[in-house]
Amino acid sequence: MLERLSPSPIFWWNALIRQNVNQGHISHALFLCRHMQQLGTRPDHYTFPFLLKACGELPSFRRGVAIHAVVCRDGFDYNVFVCNALLAMYARCGAFEEASRVFHEIMNKGIDDIISWNSMVAAHVKSGSPQLALDLFAKMTKSQNDNFGPNRSDIISLVNVLPACASLRAASAARQIHCHSLKTNLFSDLFVGNAIIDVYAKCGMMDDALKVFKNMNIKDVVTWNAMVTGYSQNGYFENALELFKEMQKECIALNVVTWSAVIAGYAQRGLGHEALGVFRQMQHSGSDPNAVTMISLLSACAAVGALSYGKETHARALRKCLMRWDDDDGEGEDRMVQNSLIDMYSKCKTFNAARFIFDSIPLVERNVVTWTVMIGGYAQHGDANVALKLFSEMILKTSSVAPNPFTISCALIACARLAALRFGRQIHAYVIRSWYGDGMLFVSNCLIDMYSKCGDLGAAQGVFDMMPQKNSVSWTSLMTGYGMHGCGSEALRIFEEMQNVGLVPDGITFLVVLYACSHSGMVNEGLRYFYSMSRDYGVDAGAEHYACVVDLLGRAGRLDEAQNMIEGMPMTPTSVVWVALLSACRAHANVELAEYATEQLLASESENDGSYTLLSNIYAIAGRWRDVARIRLLMKKSGIKKRPGCSWIEDKNGHAVFFVGDRSHPQSRQIYTLLANLIGRIKAIGYVPQTHFALHDVDDEEKSSLLSEHSEKLALAYGILTSFPGSTIRITKNLQEESAVEGTDIGLDDQPTDPPASEEEFTNDDGSNKWDHGLRVLNMCLDPIP
């Protein structure tokens, strides 16, 4: 009809364009505008706002700029409605500088109104400039513009600016805006009340949020969701669960936000089975999960190792199109789902699937979380060598993102597992050069742990001393370092200093104290601290504390007391307690008690390669070779395999790894010659081999030969051959048992663990190491000033 009318009324064209925009037919709306002009009807000041809204919905910056040019040409740039639409269009297209330019032009022309200011405040919030949004809102409330009417702000103003307070955790500003809403009678609006609850929750002010919630006369599902989510995210999950159940009682329609908040709350507390149960309720209710639900569900699967449920969630994400490789939704939710999948598969130790997803993401699309979950998965649950290789790739590839404190910490965990001191020092140098601000406390704690596990206590103490701020983890990490190396007195000194600065020891702190006493032979001190836990500090002893005391008494040969301690435990002894007793029985050749401890382990279904190996060794020490053969046969039938012992040592080319009787090294002839010479020299001054530790049914001469070929002796000889006089030789073993264990299970088809990788993998193509020059800075920081 409009095509046949000449001239056709602009009113009806505007009505058609508006209808198409509102129904989401954006391209057709723009087509109608072009067709209208071809028929001789020119757009007016009602047409342009619809067209600009269409450009913002697409979003299409190019078309928006073209329409802006037509606006200026036709003289509509003084119309406030058109100018406000221009501002909103640029903000939706992400062109915040152009939006700000239009806003200032509106102000200079004196045609600005409350919508202009609201649009600019919203643009600042969307652009990630919350402080600018707050500043602009403050100017807005003080403006003397007559176009504003009696109030300087409206409902939209408050709903726009409150998220800025949440981003900044600006509790004071949030309270002022809350007060402003009461003065202007805007608080009664449902949207304002919901926004105030949300900002208080995100600022951690749940008491204030609850007051607002109770004072609201009208509530909807968004109101309840804001409270449930707030309680869940702030650690008050019991309150969140109580509200959730109250919503069910009052028959309030639960939506995906409600379900996701409860699932996330369970997942964050490691209660994966409960989270999966809530998800099944969600499915029965007919509510469809979104990306946030999937992420929380994957976290729950990772917490309990529920690989099958994780795979189902993966399939569901693909079916719901929540994991597209072209993540262009602007929110990054698809990438978050992919990162959660990598994390879930890694924690379930299914690294082929995790690595497939990681490699499927283009390099330029990987964010820092993608790298961190993959590196952290390998560092904590897989091959630490691969973690360090990936970290090197992240650093060396120019198109990659920079690591954050969590990435650095994962790499340091890998260094600690491998005792890769040189690599750890390189990472330390990188940290000094990059400096992570607020994240330095977290990184420094990991550095202390890494240096301690690599055997460099001086460097660990140096990092601790240079920390401007310390928390309980800092003190505990240093205490653990001293304790694991038998420096119990130093560990207890740190414990006393920790209390002097006002930190209250908890269960973990006392666990470290008992561990340090155990490894230092400080029996009386350990018992004194154990009994003072509850009496003086109000800390109840757990099964892990009793295990430390059993180990403490067992190492001292007080096996009867250790057994009495277990029998007097107020809880059921865990496998760790029985393994501690079993280790003590091995050290003191108590076969009868060892058999009793093994029976308890079998009864608790907690047997593993370590417990079987310990019992086999105890039988061997007692000369009961038939029992040794029986245990080995039982291990074979049960499918239990023992990792063979190996030792490694850092050299100028990376690492040298040795197994028992290893002759694969190029310098093996020199190593064995030096070793024979050293053993001959120490025998000459009175050394007698303890052949009962050679756990094979052979004569004493052959036992002596077996003892001389242990991996750490080979590593020591190699270290003497290749290091400078006076330098420290650090040897690392992969087993916690004593060294004699490593050669006892030949014939069990063991596969060796992956040794540390060669340093060649961590260099540039030209052979240079990108981090070498940073070591000078590190040495200046760690070495004492002359």
Side-chain angles (χ1 to χ4, degrees):
M1 288 180 61
L2 287 174
E3 288 174 349
R4 293 180 182 180
L5 290 175
S6 182
S8 52
I10 184 63
F11 174 82
W12 295 112
W13 283 105
N14 287 343
L16 275 178
I17 293 171
R18 177 180 61 186
Q19 182 186 27
N20 276 271
V21 171
N22 291 339
Q23 292 180 350
H25 307 309
I26 307 300
S27 298
H28 190 61
L30 295 173
F31 163 76
L32 285 174
C33 178
R34 290 195 301 272
H35 193 48
M36 174 188 75
Q37 294 180 78
Q38 291 170 357
L39 295 175
T41 302
R42 298 178 66 84
D44 64 3
H45 60 286
Y46 290 109
T47 315
F48 287 112
F50 299 138
L51 298 177
L52 291 167
K53 182 180 179 182
C55 293
E57 292 287 343
L58 281 173
S60 176
F61 175 75
R62 179 179 59 83
R63 293 178 182 177
V65 170
I67 294 174
H68 190 176
V70 176
V71 166
C72 294
R73 184 197 66 189
D74 293 351
F76 291 106
D77 51 336
Y78 273 81
N79 184 288
V80 65
F81 301 107
V82 175
C83 291
N84 287 343
L86 276 168
L87 197 162
M89 180 274 296
Y90 281 127
R92 288 185 177 182
C93 291
F96 300 109
E97 291 185 7
E98 287 76 5
S100 181
R101 190 179 300 115
V102 171
F103 176 72
H104 288 298
E105 289 176 359
I106 294 173
M107 290 188 62
N108 292 335
K109 294 171 184 176
I111 60 173
D112 56 301
D113 60 5
I114 196 169
I115 297 175
S116 313
W117 289 78
N118 286 346
S119 299
M120 197 63 235
V121 170
H124 282 315
V125 173
K126 186 177 180 181
S127 69
S129 305
Q131 189 58 55
L132 291 177
L134 283 177
D135 295 341
L136 191 62
F137 179 78
K139 291 180 182 178
M140 175 182 176
T141 55
K142 298 175 183 177
S143 175
Q144 302 299 320
N145 194 328
D146 295 334
N147 297 332
F148 280 23
N151 293 327
R152 304 298 179 191
S153 59
D154 61 5
I155 293 169
I156 304 299
S157 309
L158 302 187
V159 173
N160 282 345
V161 75
L162 283 168
C165 300
S167 298
L168 295 169
R169 301 293 188 268
S172 176
R175 282 201 174 100
Q176 291 178 25
I177 294 172
H178 184 186
C179 181
H180 176 78
S181 71
L182 294 170
K183 289 180 180 178
T184 54
N185 295 320
L186 297 175
F187 175 74
S188 59
D189 183 83
L190 178 63
F191 294 103
V192 174
N194 290 345
I196 292 174
I197 290 176
D198 181 68
V199 70
Y200 279 147
K202 289 179 178 175
C203 290
M205 304 158 60
M206 289 310 300
D207 290 339
D208 297 83
L210 183 60
K211 290 177 183 177
V212 174
F213 179 79
K214 290 181 176 179
N215 289 330
M216 290 177 65
N217 297 322
I218 302 174
K219 302 181 182 73
D220 62 1
V221 67
V222 178
T223 317
W224 288 85
N225 285 346
M227 288 299 299
V228 172
T229 305
Y231 276 129
S232 179
Q233 292 177 346
N234 285 286
Y236 304 106
F237 186 60
E238 292 75 13
N239 302 78
L241 205 56
E242 185 179 341
L243 271 182
F244 174 71
K245 293 176 180 177
E246 189 175 342
M247 291 176 72
Q248 292 178 314
K249 285 181 182 178
E250 298 191 11
C251 298
I252 298 172
L254 306 178
N255 61 15
V256 65
V257 177
T258 323
W259 292 108
S260 298
V262 177
I263 292 171
Y266 276 126
Q268 289 166 4
R269 283 150 188 80
L271 303 173
H273 295 297
E274 289 80 355
L276 294 171
V278 174
F279 179 69
R280 282 190 285 270
Q281 294 179 38
M282 177 182 178
Q283 288 179 299
H284 293 320
S285 72
S287 182
D288 286 331
N290 60 12
V292 177
T293 319
M294 295 296 182
I295 292 166
S296 301
L297 198 59
L298 288 167
S299 177
C301 294
V304 295
L307 179 60
S308 59
Y309 282 108
K311 289 181 177 179
E312 289 179 16
T313 307
H314 188 178
R316 189 174 287 108
L318 291 170
R319 195 165 59 245
K320 296 288 184 181
C321 298
L322 294 175
M323 204 180 81
R324 300 186 306 273
W325 302 116
D326 55 339
D327 186 9
D328 56 357
D329 60 359
E331 301 296 330
E333 289 184 345
D334 295 335
R335 187 72 66 246
M336 291 168 64
V337 173
Q338 293 162 9
N339 293 341
S340 298
L341 281 167
I342 295 171
D343 181 62
M344 182 275 297
Y345 280 123
S346 297
K347 289 179 178 176
C348 292
K349 300 182 180 180
T350 310
F351 286 99
N352 288 338
R355 190 59 186 265
F356 176 80
I357 297 172
F358 178 82
D359 291 337
S360 300
I361 303 174
L363 179 62
V364 295
E365 296 294 330
R366 297 173 192 167
N367 57 26
V368 68
V369 180
T370 311
W371 286 96
T372 301
V373 292
M374 193 70 259
I375 293 170
Y378 278 121
Q380 294 176 296
H381 308 285
D383 188 347
N385 288 304
V386 182
L388 294 182
K389 184 176 181 180
L390 268 180
F391 182 75
S392 294
E393 290 178 11
M394 183 182 184
I395 294 290
L396 298 174
K397 290 186 177 179
T398 56
S399 55
S400 178
V401 295
N404 64 12
F406 297 102
T407 323
I408 296 291
S409 300
C410 290
L412 289 171
I413 290 172
C415 292
R417 280 188 60 190
L418 297 172
L421 180 60
R422 182 184 292 109
F423 206 117
R425 287 172 65 86
Q426 290 175 334
I427 295 175
H428 191 178
Y430 179 85
V431 168
I432 292 173
R433 191 166 66 246
S434 302
W435 188 254
Y436 285 97
D438 294 338
M440 279 304 297
L441 175 61
F442 189 60
V443 173
S444 297
N445 290 341
C446 289
L447 281 168
I448 294 172
D449 179 70
M450 182 275 296
Y451 279 124
S452 298
K453 290 178 179 175
C454 290
D456 194 344
L457 290 177
Q461 182 71 59
V463 172
F464 180 84
D465 292 339
M466 289 188 293
M467 292 174 66
Q469 181 185 3
K470 304 177 181 70
N471 60 10
S472 59
V473 178
S474 314
W475 293 88
T476 305
S477 298
L478 188 60
M479 286 166 53
T480 304
Y482 280 119
M484 73 170 61
H485 293 287
C487 303
S489 299
E490 288 297 313
L492 296 183
R493 176 183 63 81
I494 298 296
F495 177 68
E496 297 299 330
E497 291 181 6
M498 173 183 173
Q499 296 178 82
N500 292 337
V501 299
L503 291 174
V504 179
D506 57 9
I508 296 176
T509 313
F510 277 105
L511 190 64
V512 173
V513 168
L514 295 173
Y515 173 82
C517 292
S518 174
H519 282 250
S520 306
M522 304 172 70
V523 181
N524 294 331
E525 292 85 347
L527 292 174
R528 177 167 58 84
Y529 280 114
F530 175 75
Y531 289 117
S532 69
M533 284 173 56
S534 177
R535 182 184 67 243
D536 300 336
Y537 297 92
V539 178
D540 293 329
E544 62 276 9
H545 298 95
Y546 279 94
C548 273
V549 176
V550 170
D551 184 61
L552 175 75
L553 295 169
R555 286 173 183 263
R558 295 157 66 169
L559 297 181
D560 292 338
E561 293 180 57
Q563 186 176 4
N564 294 335
M565 177 68 69
I566 295 174
E567 292 172 352
M569 286 177 62
M571 74 284 292
T572 302
T574 61
S575 60
V576 179
V577 176
W578 294 115
V579 169
L581 182 62
L582 194 58
S583 298
C585 293
R586 177 194 178 278
H588 299 283
N590 191 322
V591 179
E592 182 180 352
L593 189 56
E595 290 178 330
Y596 170 72
T598 305
E599 289 174 3
Q600 298 302 316
L601 274 172
L602 294 173
S604 63
E605 298 182 351
S606 301
E607 71 273 11
N608 54 44
D609 67 323
S611 56
Y612 277 117
T613 302
L614 282 170
L615 183 60
S616 173
N617 294 343
I618 293 168
Y619 282 141
I621 292 171
R624 294 169 56 172
W625 300 109
R626 288 187 179 180
D627 289 318
V628 172
R630 178 175 58 83
I631 294 297
R632 292 181 179 181
L633 183 61
L634 181 61
M635 291 176 68
K636 276 192 174 182
K637 288 182 177 179
S638 303
I640 297 175
K641 295 182 178 180
K642 175 196 168 292
R643 291 182 305 156
C646 70
S647 302
W648 61 87
I649 182 173
E650 284 191 331
D651 58 18
K652 61 182 179 181
N653 296 320
H655 292 84
V657 183
F658 298 92
F659 292 88
V660 60
D662 195 346
R663 296 181 183 272
S664 61
H665 195 277
Q667 295 179 265
S668 60
R669 179 176 297 180
Q670 296 95 311
I671 291 171
Y672 276 93
T673 301
L674 175 61
L675 192 55
N677 181 34
L678 289 174
I679 291 176
R681 289 168 61 184
I682 60 175
K683 282 184 177 179
I685 59 175
Y687 166 69
V688 178
Q690 295 179 325
T691 55
H692 63 278
F693 278 115
L695 307 178
H696 295 275
D697 190 11
V698 294
D699 58 34
D700 286 348
E701 184 177 352
E702 190 169 348
K703 287 183 178 182
S704 179
S705 176
L706 286 171
L707 288 173
S708 66
E709 296 181 355
H710 279 164
S711 63
E712 73 274 14
K713 290 186 174 70
L714 300 176
L716 176 61
Y718 176 74
I720 295 173
L721 277 174
T722 57
S723 60
F724 295 103
S727 60
T728 302
I729 298 175
R730 292 185 175 87
I731 300 171
T732 308
K733 289 186 61 64
N734 68 329
L735 299 178
Q736 294 182 353
E737 294 90 355
E738 292 187 37
S739 60
V741 174
E742 67 182 35
T744 62
D745 291 298
I746 297 173
L748 289 181
D749 300 326
D750 290 323
Q751 293 297 323
T753 55
D754 291 331
S758 169
E759 192 157 329
E760 294 174 1
E761 297 178 355
F762 310 121
T763 56
N764 290 318
D765 294 337
D766 61 356
S768 62
N769 192 309
K770 188 176 181 181
W771 302 340
D772 282 344
H773 67 278
L775 289 175
R776 294 185 179 181
V777 180
L778 176 62
N779 289 328
M780 291 173 61
C781 294
L782 293 181
D783 292 343
I785 299 174

mmCIF file of all heavy atoms in Angstrom, residues 385-400:
data_model
loop_
_atom_site.group_PDB
_atom_site.id
_atom_site.type_symbol
_atom_site.label_atom_id
_atom_site.label_comp_id
_atom_site.label_asym_id
_atom_site.label_seq_id
_atom_site.Cartn_x
_atom_site.Cartn_y
_atom_site.Cartn_z
ATOM 1 N N ASN A 385 56.785 -32.533 33.786
ATOM 2 C CA ASN A 385 57.649 -32.099 32.691
ATOM 3 C C ASN A 385 56.855 -31.388 31.609
ATOM 4 O O ASN A 385 57.267 -30.356 31.078
ATOM 5 C CB ASN A 385 58.355 -33.311 32.069
ATOM 6 C CG ASN A 385 59.424 -33.870 32.976
ATOM 7 O OD1 ASN A 385 60.329 -33.167 33.389
ATOM 8 N ND2 ASN A 385 59.320 -35.153 33.296
ATOM 9 N N VAL A 386 55.675 -31.941 31.281
ATOM 10 C CA VAL A 386 54.833 -31.332 30.249
ATOM 11 C C VAL A 386 54.331 -29.976 30.727
ATOM 12 O O VAL A 386 54.197 -29.031 29.932
ATOM 13 C CB VAL A 386 53.657 -32.264 29.903
ATOM 14 C CG1 VAL A 386 52.802 -31.667 28.798
ATOM 15 C CG2 VAL A 386 54.166 -33.632 29.478
ATOM 16 N N ALA A 387 54.048 -29.855 32.023
ATOM 17 C CA ALA A 387 53.607 -28.560 32.566
ATOM 18 C C ALA A 387 54.657 -27.490 32.324
ATOM 19 O O ALA A 387 54.342 -26.374 31.888
ATOM 20 C CB ALA A 387 53.316 -28.698 34.061
ATOM 21 N N LEU A 388 55.930 -27.811 32.591
ATOM 22 C CA LEU A 388 56.997 -26.830 32.385
ATOM 23 C C LEU A 388 57.219 -26.549 30.909
ATOM 24 O O LEU A 388 57.527 -25.407 30.523
ATOM 25 C CB LEU A 388 58.288 -27.329 33.031
ATOM 26 C CG LEU A 388 58.259 -27.446 34.554
ATOM 27 C CD1 LEU A 388 59.604 -27.907 35.088
ATOM 28 C CD2 LEU A 388 57.859 -26.127 35.206
ATOM 29 N N LYS A 389 57.051 -27.551 30.073
ATOM 30 C CA LYS A 389 57.197 -27.334 28.637
ATOM 31 C C LYS A 389 56.108 -26.388 28.128
ATOM 32 O O LYS A 389 56.370 -25.465 27.339
ATOM 33 C CB LYS A 389 57.135 -28.665 27.899
ATOM 34 C CG LYS A 389 57.381 -28.543 26.403
ATOM 35 C CD LYS A 389 57.396 -29.914 25.732
ATOM 36 C CE LYS A 389 57.662 -29.761 24.228
ATOM 37 N NZ LYS A 389 57.677 -31.091 23.558
ATOM 38 N N LEU A 390 54.874 -26.601 28.591
ATOM 39 C CA LEU A 390 53.773 -25.723 28.202
ATOM 40 C C LEU A 390 53.995 -24.305 28.709
ATOM 41 O O LEU A 390 53.713 -23.322 28.010
ATOM 42 C CB LEU A 390 52.455 -26.262 28.762
ATOM 43 C CG LEU A 390 51.645 -27.207 27.886
ATOM 44 C CD1 LEU A 390 50.378 -27.632 28.623
ATOM 45 C CD2 LEU A 390 51.280 -26.546 26.576
ATOM 46 N N PHE A 391 54.499 -24.203 29.941
ATOM 47 C CA PHE A 391 54.764 -22.871 30.492
ATOM 48 C C PHE A 391 55.807 -22.138 29.662
ATOM 49 O O PHE A 391 55.688 -20.930 29.410
ATOM 50 C CB PHE A 391 55.238 -22.999 31.948
ATOM 51 C CG PHE A 391 55.499 -21.685 32.620
ATOM 52 C CD1 PHE A 391 54.453 -20.882 33.031
ATOM 53 C CD2 PHE A 391 56.799 -21.231 32.825
ATOM 54 C CE1 PHE A 391 54.687 -19.660 33.649
ATOM 55 C CE2 PHE A 391 57.044 -20.021 33.430
ATOM 56 C CZ PHE A 391 55.984 -19.227 33.849
ATOM 57 N N SER A 392 56.821 -22.857 29.204
ATOM 58 C CA SER A 392 57.841 -22.246 28.354
ATOM 59 C C SER A 392 57.248 -21.782 27.034
ATOM 60 O O SER A 392 57.561 -20.702 26.545
ATOM 61 C CB SER A 392 58.975 -23.243 28.086
ATOM 62 O OG SER A 392 59.662 -23.517 29.278
ATOM 63 N N GLU A 393 56.352 -22.602 26.467
ATOM 64 C CA GLU A 393 55.688 -22.190 25.228
ATOM 65 C C GLU A 393 54.878 -20.921 25.443
ATOM 66 O O GLU A 393 54.858 -20.028 24.593
ATOM 67 C CB GLU A 393 54.773 -23.314 24.736
ATOM 68 C CG GLU A 393 55.501 -24.541 24.213
ATOM 69 C CD GLU A 393 54.535 -25.629 23.779
ATOM 70 O OE1 GLU A 393 53.315 -25.339 23.700
ATOM 71 O OE2 GLU A 393 54.976 -26.762 23.523
ATOM 72 N N MET A 394 54.214 -20.836 26.563
ATOM 73 C CA MET A 394 53.399 -19.659 26.867
ATOM 74 C C MET A 394 54.261 -18.411 26.956
ATOM 75 O O MET A 394 53.881 -17.330 26.488
ATOM 76 C CB MET A 394 52.655 -19.886 28.188
ATOM 77 C CG MET A 394 51.724 -18.771 28.590
ATOM 78 S SD MET A 394 50.942 -19.128 30.183
ATOM 79 C CE MET A 394 49.824 -17.722 30.307
ATOM 80 N N ILE A 395 55.457 -18.550 27.549
ATOM 81 C CA ILE A 395 56.352 -17.411 27.714
ATOM 82 C C ILE A 395 56.988 -17.014 26.385
ATOM 83 O O ILE A 395 57.078 -15.826 26.050
ATOM 84 C CB ILE A 395 57.468 -17.745 28.735
ATOM 85 C CG1 ILE A 395 56.884 -17.951 30.126
ATOM 86 C CG2 ILE A 395 58.527 -16.650 28.768
ATOM 87 C CD1 ILE A 395 56.355 -16.712 30.774
ATOM 88 N N LEU A 396 57.408 -17.990 25.611
ATOM 89 C CA LEU A 396 58.236 -17.722 24.443
ATOM 90 C C LEU A 396 57.434 -17.309 23.213
ATOM 91 O O LEU A 396 57.961 -16.618 22.344
ATOM 92 C CB LEU A 396 59.095 -18.953 24.108
ATOM 93 C CG LEU A 396 60.086 -19.384 25.192
ATOM 94 C CD1 LEU A 396 60.772 -20.679 24.807
ATOM 95 C CD2 LEU A 396 61.121 -18.301 25.442
ATOM 96 N N LYS A 397 56.186 -17.726 23.109
ATOM 97 C CA LYS A 397 55.389 -17.390 21.928
ATOM 98 C C LYS A 397 54.823 -15.987 22.067
ATOM 99 O O LYS A 397 54.091 -15.677 23.004
ATOM 100 C CB LYS A 397 54.263 -18.413 21.746
ATOM 101 C CG LYS A 397 54.768 -19.778 21.312
ATOM 102 C CD LYS A 397 53.634 -20.729 20.993
ATOM 103 C CE LYS A 397 54.168 -22.068 20.500
ATOM 104 N NZ LYS A 397 53.085 -23.034 20.192
ATOM 105 N N THR A 398 55.166 -15.148 21.112
ATOM 106 C CA THR A 398 54.775 -13.732 21.194
ATOM 107 C C THR A 398 53.275 -13.530 21.084
ATOM 108 O O THR A 398 52.744 -12.546 21.583
ATOM 109 C CB THR A 398 55.471 -12.938 20.078
ATOM 110 O OG1 THR A 398 55.149 -13.550 18.813
ATOM 111 C CG2 THR A 398 56.981 -12.938 20.258
ATOM 112 N N SER A 399 52.577 -14.450 20.427
ATOM 113 C CA SER A 399 51.129 -14.301 20.256
ATOM 114 C C SER A 399 50.351 -14.799 21.463
ATOM 115 O O SER A 399 49.129 -14.720 21.484
ATOM 116 C CB SER A 399 50.663 -15.053 19.008
ATOM 117 O OG SER A 399 51.053 -16.413 19.068
ATOM 118 N N SER A 400 51.054 -15.325 22.447
ATOM 119 C CA SER A 400 50.385 -15.857 23.628
ATOM 120 C C SER A 400 50.185 -14.764 24.671
ATOM 121 O O SER A 400 50.809 -13.699 24.619
ATOM 122 C CB SER A 400 51.214 -17.001 24.218
ATOM 123 O OG SER A 400 50.613 -17.492 25.390
#
